[in-house]
Amino acid sequence: MSANTGARFTLLSRLLHWSMAVMVIAQLLIGVTMVASLSYYPLLLAIHRPLGVAILVFAVVRLVNRLTHHPPPFLATMGPLERRVATWSERLLYVLLLAQPLVG
Amino acid sequence: MIPAISLIRVCRTIRASIIHRTGGSTRPRLPAGGALIGMAAVAGVAAVDVGAFGYAGGWLRPDALTPSRFADGFEQVYGRHDGFRRNHAKGLSATGSFASNGAGAAVCKAAVFSAGTVPVIGRFSLSGGLPDQPDKPDTVRGLALAFLLPNGQQWRTAMINLPVFPDSTPEGFYERLLASKPLPATSQPDPQKMEAFLVRHPETAEAMKIIKQSPPSPGFSDSTFHGLNAFHATNDKGVTVAIRWTAVPLQTGQPGVPGASAGRDYLFDALIRAVSRAPLAWRLVLTIGAHEDPTDDATKPWPDSRPTIDAGTISIGAVQTEAAGNARDINFDPLVLPDGIAASDDPLLSARSAVYARSFNRRAEEPKRPSEVNVSEVRDER
């Protein structure tokens, strides 16, 4: 985060964040490639399923981590509306990270 | 998810820059340059995301043959028939068993080949996307089977009564499908289109010659059904061989298959009557390929001299009108395989798996109509 705030996300939070970012983005590309490919469909499906389960497991760990750790405060430059958008978009993100692997 | 994340970033950045420009607060401000760079970076990432999605999903490649376009091809040629398979649309559900004699275990460790009996769900069908097409002797017949193994695994296979497959690649199949679209005037395919196709695809011309040499049997119950695609079988010693399989009928010269004049569904009606008299049986024969035999080309027969294994008897004891919960709702995906059988390098296999899934998804969402072949109507006639 910015240099004028000393607080940082914990190492675990950062690891969860970036590993899940890679997994989710890869999963989306795998998913969209899979349904459009005649030759790679079975291979990608064989990756898509376990990766989805892994994302679900990570999302649960991440949720537990989020509920047991306070993240750093919002940036001082953020207004009340921005803070509300940030809070609710974070909640929405958690819902989606948990719901998407469940519905496949 | 990516658009959501990007959107949040954009919102934050835009808000920050608006607040900065309007000076609407006493909070610390983001420098305008930083905000613009941030916005540009977010837009860049979003553009790359969208581009990658468009490419991977086929929307930016209008010529790419995707499973959706394959399924569209069937709809172009046969029309769209809600609730039915895009190919082999006309069919009849069946149930029975496979009694393994244990001989198949020599080449394959799959539980289906240990001595014993497993239940089987099957489906007899005619090729083509018309669910109510009149039965004709030379329409390709299908027998799809799902072997339900005791360990919860399944082996699914969809076989046809041709000795080789007409196409070696999914692209060839697709081209032939479009070339075979009947002309409204003659209700026959355009001969020029088909000729041009065969010039471009000599492998299909060769396969057609082989197919012509083995004309179809009178009915379903005396048809030999071929798996056609090669697979790899591994036994419990870890030895892997290439195999193809065939269902060879034990009933031949069946009475009761009248000519096509006997009605629109005469092939299916004869099958229903035959099953009501006695179970129908097929030997499941595994053919073991040699090293030089092609595994990636279903248009090429393997030499007749290849060793075969009679693995047991498939017995069909009952047939059912297609309905919820029976074979109607099974996707006979050729890559649903038990441990011990694996896909070969045949490009048709992954394509079949992908297109069957697309066809299945489409019909699963569509309203259902009763199937043309109706067991109770045939029984009532008797």
Side-chain angles (χ1 to χ4, degrees):
Chain A
M1 293 288 113
S2 70
N4 57 3
T5 58
R8 293 190 75 182
F9 285 91
T10 63
L11 180 64
L12 177 64
S13 300
R14 277 176 281 150
L15 281 175
L16 282 169
H17 178 80
W18 289 110
S19 58
M20 287 193 73
V22 171
M23 287 161 78
V24 168
I25 290 168
Q27 181 74 321
L28 286 162
L29 284 169
I30 286 169
V32 79
T33 309
M34 177 178 87
V35 297
S37 172
L38 289 175
S39 45
Y40 296 113
Y41 172 78
L43 172 70
L44 293 176
L45 186 63
I47 300 171
H48 191 76
R49 282 178 175 152
L51 185 54
V53 172
I55 289 172
L56 179 63
V57 171
F58 271 60
V60 171
V61 173
R62 185 183 176 134
L63 180 66
V64 171
N65 177 59
R66 177 67 181 78
L67 294 175
T68 54
H69 292 83
H70 278 290
F74 285 123
L75 296 181
T77 53
M78 290 170 73
L81 179 65
E82 286 171 300
R83 288 167 192 234
R84 226 177 306 150
V85 168
T87 301
W88 282 101
S89 59
E90 188 194 6
R91 289 177 189 171
L92 179 65
L93 195 66
Y94 275 94
V95 170
L96 292 174
L97 281 175
L98 291 165
Q100 185 63 55
L102 290 175
V103 299
Chain B
M1 215 78 59
I2 294 172
I5 295 167
S6 307
L7 195 66
I8 295 158
R9 289 195 198 129
V10 171
C11 284
R12 287 181 184 170
T13 317
I14 291 172
R15 278 286 302 170
S17 75
I18 290 170
I19 290 162
H20 176 72
R21 268 187 278 118
T22 55
S25 110
T26 55
R27 287 193 304 278
R29 294 164 178 185
L30 276 181
L36 279 173
I37 290 168
M39 285 168 74
V42 168
V45 169
V48 170
D49 287 347
V50 170
F53 266 58
Y55 185 81
W59 304 294
L60 295 180
R61 298 174 294 155
D63 297 330
L65 184 53
T66 64
S68 280
R69 290 191 185 120
F70 220 119
D72 293 345
F74 282 103
E75 292 177 8
Q76 282 164 31
V77 172
Y78 297 109
R80 201 181 122 179
H81 304 279
D82 277 354
F84 291 98
R85 282 168 165 79
R86 292 309 180 255
N87 193 11
H88 286 260
K90 184 178 186 180
L92 176 68
S93 176
T95 47
S97 61
F98 172 62
S100 168
N101 55 25
V107 293
C108 184
K109 65 183 177 187
V112 69
F113 294 119
S114 329
T117 300
V118 297
V120 163
I121 301 174
R123 183 174 182 270
F124 294 92
S125 63
L126 289 181
S127 80
L130 291 172
D132 56 353
Q133 64 175 319
D135 294 359
K136 288 186 183 139
D138 50 2
T139 305
V140 174
R141 296 166 209 159
L143 172 59
L145 296 173
F147 299 77
L148 313 177
L149 278 51
N151 57 10
Q153 294 185 355
Q154 286 195 22
W155 174 26
R156 297 187 194 175
T157 178
M159 302 175 285
I160 55 175
N161 69 331
L162 297 181
V164 290
F165 199 69
D167 313 288
S168 62
T169 62
E171 291 77 17
F173 185 112
Y174 181 74
E175 269 191 66
R176 183 170 60 87
L177 170 71
L178 296 188
S180 69
K181 181 174 182 169
L183 293 173
T186 60
S187 42
Q188 292 293 318
D190 183 337
Q192 284 179 335
K193 267 192 190 168
M194 195 44 95
E195 206 174 302
F197 168 80
L198 290 173
V199 169
R200 280 198 308 278
H201 291 275
E203 75 282 5
T204 303
E206 283 301 309
M208 293 294 191
K209 282 184 205 160
I210 298 167
I211 290 166
K212 282 216 174 70
Q213 287 163 13
S214 53
S217 68
F220 272 107
S221 57
D222 53 5
S223 292
T224 300
F225 293 101
H226 303 264
L228 299 179
N229 301 118
F231 290 80
H232 293 302
T234 304
N235 67 11
D236 55 7
K237 296 183 188 70
V239 179
T240 298
V241 292
I243 60 167
R244 284 173 170 174
W245 52 76
T246 307
V248 181
L250 284 173
Q251 50 283 321
T252 49
Q254 281 272 296
V257 182
S261 59
R264 192 176 182 83
D265 307 323
Y266 83 97
L267 284 171
F268 283 102
D269 292 352
L271 171 65
I272 293 166
R273 291 194 185 97
V275 172
S276 73
R277 285 192 297 268
L280 299 175
W282 282 263
R283 287 189 304 125
L284 180 63
V285 176
L286 308 178
T287 304
I288 318 301
H291 270 299
E292 64 269 28
D293 293 340
T295 54
D296 62 348
D297 189 345
T299 65
K300 303 270 186 299
W302 287 350
D304 289 336
S305 57
R306 292 293 174 254
T308 59
I309 296 173
D310 178 347
T313 305
I314 301 154
S315 175
I316 299 296
V319 290
Q320 306 86 26
T321 306
E322 288 192 296
N326 65 26
R328 188 195 74 176
D329 296 337
I330 296 179
N331 170 12
F332 288 96
D333 180 337
L335 294 185
V336 174
L337 300 165
D339 286 343
I341 308 179
S344 67
D345 50 354
D346 187 335
L348 293 180
L349 284 172
S350 61
R352 287 175 69 187
S353 184
V355 178
Y356 288 19
R358 183 63 28 196
S359 162
F360 182 86
N361 284 353
R362 286 192 185 180
R363 63 193 162 93
E365 293 172 349
E366 294 163 352
K368 302 290 185 291
R369 282 187 297 120
S371 291
E372 165 76 13
V373 182
N374 187 315
V375 172
S376 62
E377 280 174 16
V378 176
R379 289 207 178 122
D380 290 348
E381 285 165 18
R382 294 199 309 141

